[in-house]
Amino acid sequence: MTTDNEKNNEVKNELMETPGDILSKKREEVGLSIDDVAEKLNLQPLQIRSLEKNDYDSFNVETYLKGYLRSYAKFIGVDGDKVVNLYKQQNTEKIIEIIPDVKPKSQRSSPNSSTKLFSYVIGLVVVLALIVWYQKEQISEPYITGKEISNIKMKKINKNNVDTSYEIITHSNYWQWPIDKSVENYVDSIEKNNQPSQAELNEDENVNSLEQNSVAEEVENEASYNIQEGTDTIVMNLTGDCWTEIEDRDGNKVFYDLAREGRSYVINGKSPMSVFLGAADEVSILFNGSTVDIKPYIKFGLARFTLPE
Amino acid sequence: MFKQVRGLFSNDLSIDLGTANTLIYVRNKGIVLDEPSVVAIRKDGNKISPKSILAVGEAAKKMLGRTPGHITAIRPLKDGVIADFTVTEKMLQYFIRNAHGSTFFKPSPRVLVCVPCGSTQVERRAIRESAAGAGARTVHLIEEPMAAAIGAGMPVSDPRGSMVVDIGGGTTEVAVISLNGIVYSESIRIGGDRFDDAIINYVRRNYGSLIGDSTAEKIKKDIGCAYPANEVNELVVRGRNLAEGIPRSFTLNSNEILEALQEPLSGIIDAVKNALEKTPPELGSDVAEQGLVLTGGGAKLKDLDRLLMEECGVPVIIAEDPLTCVARGGGKYLEMIDEFGLDILTID
């Protein structure tokens, strides 16, 4: 390394003057000895000699070396910056730190373009996600109206008070029993139930032969409100899975589930009941025993209508 | 939470919040802002916001001493510490935004602020809070002489004494550093401002005339010197004659300014001598061998290095680009934090 430096310096000596040359020449012009300079600068004569010989190996910190060069130059009346710049040009491999410039505002480079791009991409993604989410919301709640919102509120109130048919009727055990016997029979019994009594309801339970134990208690509770005027029955027969929502007069969701293929469902509630079918082609409906033609309501496979018509 | 997100789009900043100038160094970009710490405030008639910021930085500095009744141009920092909290916060906000240029998000950078080593806990807290109020995500503090030494390229991590003298606008910091720590430090409230005051007083005493701060600063920059030179420079100055009450022009020369600056200069010399005296002998010998490094705007005073060399008997060198040393050192320190963790130099 040392020899390399010396070689480099020798080569450069021939091409242009070195900091050491400038300094020693000027010093002799002014008529000062090395000792004079060393005394004034509080440095060792040896250090001055090294500076004049461009031998910088004894200076292990560059900051100090540049400082010495500058003070020396200034002392004998040479432009210090010129000497230091010359040194920097000739010893580029030694310079590690980069002194940044103070740039005026107009010249300042704009912020990192990749960072900018990144931020725009993120922004775009967020906007797209919002759009997709909004559209999804639209699809899942296609015809949300003010009335429905109020119904939802009402439902909550009812739930808190735990009094209405909603709590029990929506219990899956109640509506999901399969009707093994012919529906006609069942409908007959329902017709009798137009003015229902507790006894008859219990009979219903028997007829439909499901796990009585689990239902029994509920039925007792149910009796207190289910035997109310205007209780109507919907019977659904399914040839395929269909998402079904049925709300009664008070907005209680009496049925809110995926109705399974091949089963029949009996739903009791106060009319008028609003019905929403997700796959209306798969469903045939009996309302209080009479068949309902739902074809006119079907739109893109969905159907929304109120019973009685 | 949003600060964290915004932080992703912000650069790390190192701020040299000085009495005279504020410099901001951005990592990988260099010094992006160098403006005077001056704020011009306009008093508005309406009751909702009785005051509004009219100008900050260079524009505000031009208004110093030239404002009508409803505008006040003030320097919110005095002696290196905050004198006016809210105005400092506003100023920092403006500078941070400016340093960032136009970005998509409001910047929320990690900020390192340099504080004088003599500042009290209360003063440090004030600086920390005003930086946080200006939108900083996290605020680190570093002592000014440490930042100056790093910025000047001194071997702070070596087991070797390095002495740095940072002459700022409000304070002069003298410190001896070894192994990433400050062994001895002293902060005296003498700086560029005191030089200006000394010149104003001198002119009033000897010429019976009053000059403003800006004029005094111009005199200091043009013909100020700290050591008798061979050639004498002259400058024509206009000031208001106190006896007659009308402006008069007169000529000042560099020897007069040297005389005027004697008092603050002797204060700095005393501080340096004091530091040399109190430095442990081993480090003292390192300093005597290598010399001390001058940084800060005061280092630009002509022949100050010569004066110190003469008076203290140690080599004195002026750092490269002395004005930006502190800000650059802060920037390097931020890089060191990333590399080695927080515990190397913190003073928190």
Side-chain angles (χ1 to χ4, degrees):
Chain A
M1 189 67 191
T2 327
T3 50
D4 278 355
N5 266 348
E6 277 164 9
K7 268 181 199 166
N8 281 343
N9 287 336
E10 275 164 24
V11 173
K12 280 168 189 165
N13 278 347
E14 289 162 14
L15 297 170
M16 53 172 153
E17 51 185 354
T18 60
D21 290 341
I22 297 174
L23 293 172
S24 61
K25 218 165 91 186
K26 183 72 183 176
R27 180 177 57 77
E28 278 157 20
E29 259 179 52
V30 177
L32 289 168
S33 72
I34 284 180
D35 290 340
D36 292 338
V37 176
E39 200 195 323
K40 279 286 176 193
L41 297 179
N42 297 317
L43 292 168
Q44 304 294 318
L46 198 72
Q47 287 175 303
I48 302 294
R49 274 193 205 98
S50 315
L51 288 179
E52 288 189 0
K53 282 181 202 153
N54 301 317
D55 173 17
Y56 304 126
D57 292 323
S58 56
F59 306 94
N60 34 21
V61 180
E62 207 196 0
T63 312
Y64 288 113
L65 168 60
K66 281 190 279 189
Y68 297 152
L69 280 172
R70 192 178 279 120
S71 337
Y72 186 6
K74 229 167 97 183
F75 178 63
I76 56 174
V78 184
D79 182 12
D81 290 335
K82 188 183 145 199
V83 175
V84 173
N85 285 337
L86 207 60
Y87 160 78
K88 279 198 233 169
Q89 279 171 22
Q90 295 176 9
N91 297 274
T92 38
E93 73 268 30
K94 266 194 162 183
I95 294 165
I96 306 150
E97 60 172 329
I98 300 148
I99 309 292
D101 297 327
V102 179
K103 288 181 198 161
K105 220 191 285 176
S106 57
Q107 282 180 21
R108 223 184 287 146
S109 60
S110 61
N112 203 346
S113 61
S114 63
T115 317
K116 231 176 179 178
L117 191 72
F118 182 62
S119 65
Y120 286 137
V121 166
I122 292 226
L124 202 69
V125 167
V126 168
V127 168
L128 280 175
L130 274 174
I131 289 170
V132 169
W133 175 77
Y134 181 72
Q135 284 186 342
K136 268 193 172 175
E137 284 291 294
Q138 288 286 307
I139 288 164
S140 63
E141 291 277 341
Y143 314 103
I144 192 143
T145 61
K147 194 191 162 202
E148 275 170 327
I149 290 166
S150 65
N151 283 348
I152 289 163
K153 276 181 197 162
M154 218 158 123
K155 182 189 85 183
K156 274 182 185 168
I157 295 161
N158 289 338
K159 211 172 185 182
N160 290 339
N161 296 338
V162 200
D163 67 337
T164 64
S165 56
Y166 169 73
E167 281 291 315
I168 293 147
I169 289 175
T170 53
H171 197 284
S172 59
N173 283 342
Y174 185 72
W175 71 54
Q176 282 194 352
W177 61 67
I179 302 171
D180 298 330
K181 293 164 189 175
S182 72
V183 178
E184 318 290 308
N185 287 347
Y186 182 71
V187 168
D188 286 344
S189 72
I190 294 297
E191 275 172 347
K192 283 175 208 157
N193 277 348
N194 274 341
Q195 290 123 16
S197 66
Q198 182 157 6
E200 278 165 340
L201 269 172
N202 284 337
E203 197 185 313
D204 273 355
E205 299 297 315
N206 293 332
V207 165
N208 294 314
S209 67
L210 205 84
E211 299 161 34
Q212 291 298 322
N213 295 341
S214 63
V215 182
E217 285 171 18
E218 288 166 13
V219 170
E220 273 176 24
N221 290 337
E222 180 199 0
S224 57
Y225 48 81
N226 218 8
I227 312 166
Q228 279 168 9
E229 47 165 336
T231 301
D232 298 287
T233 309
I234 294 175
V235 179
M236 293 198 305
N237 294 312
L238 289 121
T239 55
D241 287 354
C242 171
W243 175 259
T244 310
E245 291 172 25
I246 297 173
E247 288 181 13
D248 70 0
R249 185 172 60 198
D250 302 327
N252 298 321
K253 287 193 167 144
V254 291
F255 189 95
Y256 190 79
D257 207 344
L258 184 70
R260 295 289 178 184
E261 182 187 353
R263 289 195 187 172
S264 295
Y265 294 84
V266 178
I267 298 112
N268 291 326
K270 284 178 255 175
S271 65
M273 289 194 274
S274 75
V275 182
F276 170 74
L277 301 171
D281 298 326
E282 313 285 350
V283 188
S284 60
I285 285 188
L286 297 165
F287 181 65
N288 289 343
S290 54
T291 314
V292 179
D293 182 20
I294 59 168
K295 284 239 166 66
Y297 304 112
I298 299 175
K299 216 177 198 179
F300 308 118
L302 305 174
R304 184 174 280 265
F305 52 90
T306 315
L307 292 173
E309 287 169 278
Chain B
M1 207 288 248
F2 284 116
K3 275 192 171 182
Q4 295 284 329
V5 176
R6 294 204 319 256
L8 288 175
F9 303 95
S10 311
N11 297 312
D12 291 349
L13 302 181
S14 152
I15 302 180
D16 174 12
L17 191 60
T19 319
N21 287 292
T22 296
L23 282 90
I24 298 188
Y25 174 94
V26 178
R27 265 177 79 178
N28 311 325
K29 273 194 210 165
I31 305 274
V32 294
L33 185 136
D34 177 9
E35 295 218 39
S37 313
V38 186
V39 180
I41 296 166
R42 179 176 50 204
K43 275 185 218 133
D44 293 336
N46 66 8
K47 282 177 185 170
I48 303 154
S49 60
K51 285 177 181 178
S52 63
I53 304 282
L54 182 68
V56 183
E58 200 66 58
K61 196 189 179 185
K62 284 187 185 143
M63 299 180 192
L64 265 183
R66 297 192 176 98
T67 50
H70 67 290
I71 297 171
T72 43
I74 56 164
R75 299 171 67 168
L77 290 120
K78 281 237 152 57
D79 299 329
V81 293
I82 292 175
D84 191 326
F85 189 83
T86 33
V87 176
T88 308
E89 198 174 306
K90 288 275 179 226
M91 186 179 77
L92 269 180
Q93 221 163 12
Y94 173 86
F95 284 154
I96 289 177
R97 282 221 98 147
N98 228 13
H100 255 273
S102 57
T103 45
F104 197 71
F105 292 94
K106 194 176 158 215
S108 171
R110 194 168 61 149
V111 166
L112 181 124
V113 188
C114 309
V115 293
C117 55
S119 57
T120 60
Q121 284 296 327
V122 177
E123 289 163 345
R124 284 177 189 186
R125 196 179 163 83
I127 287 178
R128 182 188 287 278
E129 283 187 358
S130 68
R137 183 163 32 118
T138 46
V139 184
H140 300 295
L141 299 182
I142 183 175
E143 283 171 325
E144 244 163 55
M146 195 64 186
I150 297 172
M154 291 162 82
V156 286
S157 52
D158 290 4
R160 188 175 359 173
S162 312
M163 190 182 220
V164 63
V165 179
D166 177 40
I167 305 171
T171 57
T172 292
E173 322 263 331
V174 184
V176 179
I177 294 163
S178 173
L179 290 169
N180 284 334
I182 290 177
V183 179
Y184 171 85
S185 75
E186 195 185 345
S187 175
I188 51 167
R189 309 221 151 167
I190 295 173
D193 292 348
R194 283 288 294 274
F195 293 161
D196 296 348
D197 288 346
I199 291 171
I200 292 171
N201 286 335
Y202 178 85
V203 170
R204 194 171 53 204
R205 227 175 20 244
N206 293 289
Y207 289 87
S209 294
L210 210 57
I211 53 169
D213 284 338
S214 313
T215 315
E217 199 184 335
K218 189 177 181 315
I219 295 169
K220 179 183 71 180
K221 280 181 178 165
D222 289 357
I223 59 168
C225 64
Y227 194 79
N230 294 332
E231 75 258 40
V232 174
N233 297 317
E234 290 190 335
L235 185 73
V236 178
V237 180
R238 279 165 208 86
R240 188 183 51 160
N241 192 297
L242 283 168
E244 298 168 33
I246 50 168
R248 285 256 175 249
S249 70
F250 45 92
T251 312
L252 287 172
N253 66 38
S254 51
N255 283 341
E256 286 173 304
I257 303 305
L258 175 63
E259 197 188 324
L261 294 179
Q262 276 314 305
E263 195 215 323
L265 285 175
S266 64
I268 291 173
I269 291 166
D270 286 347
V272 174
K273 279 185 176 169
N274 210 1
L276 285 169
E277 195 184 314
K278 288 181 180 161
T279 306
E282 208 61 58
L283 297 175
S285 79
D286 290 339
V287 174
E289 194 195 319
Q290 305 180 113
L292 60 87
V293 176
L294 279 180
T295 65
K300 287 196 159 180
L301 185 66
K302 202 181 154 206
D303 286 337
L304 181 61
D305 52 337
R306 197 125 165 228
L307 176 77
L308 284 170
M309 240 185 283
E310 199 86 358
E311 291 284 338
C312 306
V314 293
V316 176
I317 63 174
I318 296 174
E320 216 160 345
D321 205 359
L323 267 173
T324 62
C325 270
V326 173
R328 276 187 288 126
K332 274 192 202 161
Y333 172 63
L334 274 175
E335 281 161 31
M336 283 161 86
I337 289 180
D338 285 349
E339 212 172 316
F340 305 109
L342 247 182
D343 52 336
I344 40 164
L345 302 170
T346 20
I347 56 164
D348 301 343

